[in-house]
Amino acid sequence: MFGLSSLGRLVVLPLLAGALLVSPAQAKKNSVGGVYAISLAGFKIGRGTLSLVMQGNAYSAKVTVAPAGIGTLFSTGKGGAEASGWLVGSKVVPSKYRMASQAANLDFYVNLNQGSRNIRSMEVAPQFKPNKERIKITNRHKRNAIDPLSAALMPVKRSKDSFGPKACSRKLPIFDGWTRFDIKLSYEGTKEVSGRGYDGTVVVCKARWVPVAGHRPSKESVKYMAKANMEVWIAPMGRDNVLIPYRIAIDTKNGRLLVEATKLTIDGAGSDQAARR
């Protein structure tokens, strides 16, 4: 069994926050909350929560992950992350990001100060051990990069086809404090779902993890992750330009990792209400 915090550093935390399409011009306050079940090969191993508040073009988000089910019997880890910043036009401009987690009796901590989509300063623990093979992180890798949680905020312009291929057509340049990687999304199609707080259509995006720096190319885990099948389902909640995650699936060597909403709530949705329970 592998640590949830390690997996979260690569994939889960960036995606668990969801694909949230928000309009910077929307001045009213909106809050979104979600509870997610995390399973591996059909066995429940964890539980995640999502909290997002949007006020005008400012956002604050928080996500947590903790063991559940058989995950309590193993060192699956626990932790969380929070981020804040602004939406400027079609770009996400983060300000702060903090992540803390624990797995296998080790503590992990990241504190990033950001501006103009650049990493300005950071605190990270523990540090990687020196290794000649590791692709060195340079200042270039910290430019035009955003933290994992803020990377999940995806502004798009309102259009008839915004809930379709445009929702998935993007590359997310992410720096998590240890590594720089991209998450490339591409459109797969749509599905109809019901229950768990939403009834309607979801957009299915295929996801691919692309290592850039901070990794060791010869590591089997890096090679596997670069080829692993991943997908995320995103659903409109409250407005036609606000989407949050409904389901995330990642094929791992230990079986399929599934992160799926069990409860979604939204406040301040206005007149364009989505079906909720």
Side-chain angles (χ1 to χ4, degrees):
M1 190 72 69
F2 48 84
L4 279 181
S5 62
S6 301
L7 184 60
R9 185 166 60 81
L10 293 174
V11 177
V12 174
L13 286 180
L15 294 179
L16 187 58
L20 297 153
L21 314 186
V22 298
S23 170
Q26 180 62 37
K28 72 190 310 183
K29 182 178 180 179
N30 291 85
S31 62
V32 178
V35 178
Y36 295 80
I38 305 171
S39 63
L40 180 67
F43 296 96
K44 185 176 181 179
I45 62 170
R47 178 179 182 270
T49 65
L50 163 69
S51 176
L52 171 75
V53 176
M54 297 174 288
Q55 181 78 53
N57 69 337
Y59 70 88
S60 62
K62 183 177 182 179
V63 63
T64 66
V65 178
I70 68 168
T72 59
L73 303 177
F74 302 91
S75 181
T76 52
K78 61 182 179 179
E82 55 187 43
S84 60
W86 296 269
L87 301 176
V88 180
S90 60
K91 293 184 177 181
V92 178
V93 182
S95 174
K96 296 180 180 180
Y97 169 76
R98 184 173 62 180
M99 187 281 290
S101 65
Q102 185 181 61
N105 295 321
L106 291 176
D107 292 321
F108 300 86
Y109 176 78
V110 178
N111 188 9
L112 303 179
N113 289 314
Q114 305 167 85
S116 302
R117 290 177 65 89
N118 298 322
I119 310 299
R120 292 182 172 176
S121 65
M122 66 180 190
E123 298 175 68
V124 179
Q127 299 284 344
F128 279 145
K129 294 181 179 179
N131 190 295
K132 293 182 178 180
E133 186 200 7
R134 191 180 308 282
I135 305 299
K136 185 178 179 180
I137 295 284
T138 67
N139 288 332
R140 177 172 62 88
H141 297 123
K142 299 176 187 177
R143 293 194 293 267
N144 192 32
I146 56 181
D147 64 83
L149 199 47
S150 297
L153 303 176
M154 307 178 194
V156 295
K157 295 180 179 179
R158 290 179 182 268
S159 64
K160 292 181 179 180
D161 59 348
S162 61
F163 190 55
K166 288 185 178 180
C168 303
S169 182
R170 62 187 72 239
K171 179 178 71 173
L172 308 175
I174 302 170
F175 179 71
D176 65 5
W178 291 278
T179 58
R180 167 71 173 81
F181 58 93
D182 293 334
I183 297 292
K184 292 186 176 181
L185 301 179
S186 58
Y187 180 70
E188 286 282 284
T190 60
K191 291 182 180 289
E192 295 297 318
V193 299
S194 62
R196 304 185 183 186
Y198 173 71
D199 298 321
T201 304
V202 297
V203 178
V204 180
C205 303
K206 183 178 181 179
R208 187 162 66 94
W209 180 77
V210 182
V212 176
H215 64 286
R216 291 163 53 190
S218 68
K219 286 195 68 175
E220 289 301 316
S221 60
V222 171
K223 293 179 181 179
Y224 185 88
M225 287 296 297
K227 297 180 180 179
N229 292 322
M230 311 176 194
E231 69 177 23
V232 56
W233 298 7
I234 49 181
M237 300 298 297
R239 292 184 180 85
D240 58 3
N241 66 329
V242 180
L243 283 77
I244 62 175
Y246 185 86
R247 183 180 189 267
I248 301 155
I250 306 169
D251 288 340
T252 78
K253 290 183 177 180
N254 298 288
R256 169 158 282 203
L257 176 70
L258 188 63
V259 181
E260 192 164 22
T262 57
K263 182 180 179 181
L264 294 172
T265 59
I266 184 169
D267 294 321
S271 59
D272 186 14
Q273 296 265 349
R276 300 192 302 278
R277 293 181 182 177

